[in-house]
Amino acid sequence: MSIPKGIALITGSAQGIGRGIALRLARDGFDVALNDLPNKDAKLDLVATEIKSLGRRVCVIPADVRVDREVKEMVDNAVTKLGGLDVMVANAGVLTFASLLSTTVETWDRIFSVNARGTFLCYKYAAMQMIEQGRGGRIIGASSLGGKIGFPYNSSYGASKFAIRGLTQVAALELGQHGITVNAYAPGGIETPMAESMMDESGNVDLAKIFDDPVSRKWVVALLENVPIKHAGQPEDIASIVSYLASKEAHFITGQCISVDGGISMN
């Protein structure tokens, strides 16, 4: 087994984008700590088997990113099992569609507890470990197209993803002195298990499943019609930008939220 490029921890890595990121970083030469909820152990084990086949060390660390103690223990366990932490990818997230008027406080708090608080805790404990190690590091979070453009029926999710952009900028300002870069990625439409709930039987986005009113559906249709790249994205498309942000070559990039959405959001 070759000397690892570093040690990476990816949350929400049982499936979808997180799985794609974990496999890509393993191919890049990183040893990998996989995280997701305890009820996804079987899927995590499958990803771990794939990573072992690539000749890299891997460990599975179930934890709930909403819980302060569990996130700290997750980082500590990754360090104990693999020998350190060089890349933290705070990828775990949840999505719920509801109009502003029908969104409950409970829904709002649930979305924020995973997407915003979970990312904050991952940033915090990863940064503490990286500072202690004294060799810098890469912290990478999951924002969204919905964290750059307001979408109807998307208030709690969109607000949580906008929050990640602000958190990323603040963390970049504070941690740069320690050689730690902090960036985020903002996916557009990516074919993942999370997206399946929005599809019809033919595999196309069924807007009627999401938006109750025709005005919202018309707005989204008009937006999607103007996308320069017409096909849906794949988890590998997100993994490729994470691969670069995790590399030594990205040492002069920090505080950014990079869109990977086929050109919907241009800035």
Side-chain angles (χ1 to χ4, degrees), residues 22-35:
L23 292 172
R24 174 59 187 265
L25 292 182
R27 293 189 185 98
D28 289 346
F30 286 91
D31 290 341
V32 177
L34 299 170
N35 159 266

Side-chain angles (χ1 to χ4, degrees), residues 12-179:
S13 51
Q15 61 189 24
I17 291 173
R19 174 183 175 276
I21 291 169
L23 292 172
R24 174 59 187 265
L25 292 182
R27 293 189 185 98
D28 289 346
F30 286 91
D31 290 341
V32 177
L34 299 170
N35 159 266
D36 217 305
L37 292 168
N39 63 2
K40 295 187 178 179
D41 276 359
K43 289 183 178 180
L44 286 172
D45 288 341
L46 290 174
V47 183
T49 298
E50 290 187 69
I51 290 174
K52 288 177 184 176
S53 73
L54 298 171
R56 299 266 41 104
R57 293 189 303 154
V58 60
C59 65
V60 172
I61 310 174
D64 187 335
V65 298
R66 298 174 297 179
V67 181
D68 186 295
R69 172 184 53 81
E70 292 193 26
V71 176
K72 183 181 186 303
E73 291 176 352
M74 175 183 71
V75 171
D76 290 344
N77 287 337
V79 172
T80 299
K81 293 178 179 180
L82 297 178
L85 183 64
D86 300 289
V87 178
M88 164 62 83
V89 184
N91 170 76
V94 291
L95 169 65
T96 298
F97 287 101
S99 70
L100 177 66
L101 300 184
S102 65
T103 296
T104 64
V105 169
E106 291 76 18
T107 295
W108 178 276
D109 288 346
R110 184 178 71 87
I111 295 294
F112 262 77
S113 68
V114 178
N115 296 358
R117 184 203 301 166
T119 301
F120 154 68
L121 291 172
C122 288
Y123 280 25
K124 174 183 176 178
Y125 288 113
M128 290 172 68
Q129 176 62 33
M130 291 173 182
I131 291 170
E132 181 180 338
Q133 291 171 177
R135 61 179 188 241
R138 302 282 185 267
I139 296 176
I140 304 166
S143 183
S144 170
L145 173 63
K148 291 198 166 187
I149 299 174
F151 278 79
Y153 287 68
N154 210 222
S155 57
S156 54
Y157 178 80
S160 72
K161 293 300 185 176
F162 268 92
I164 289 169
R165 290 177 60 196
L167 172 66
T168 297
Q169 292 180 17
V170 172
L173 289 168
E174 294 184 6
L175 300 176
Q177 62 184 311
H178 301 288

Side-chain angles (χ1 to χ4, degrees), residues 203-215:
N204 299 312
V205 175
D206 186 352
L207 296 179
K209 283 187 174 183
I210 307 170
F211 307 114
D212 292 336
D213 67 278
V215 174

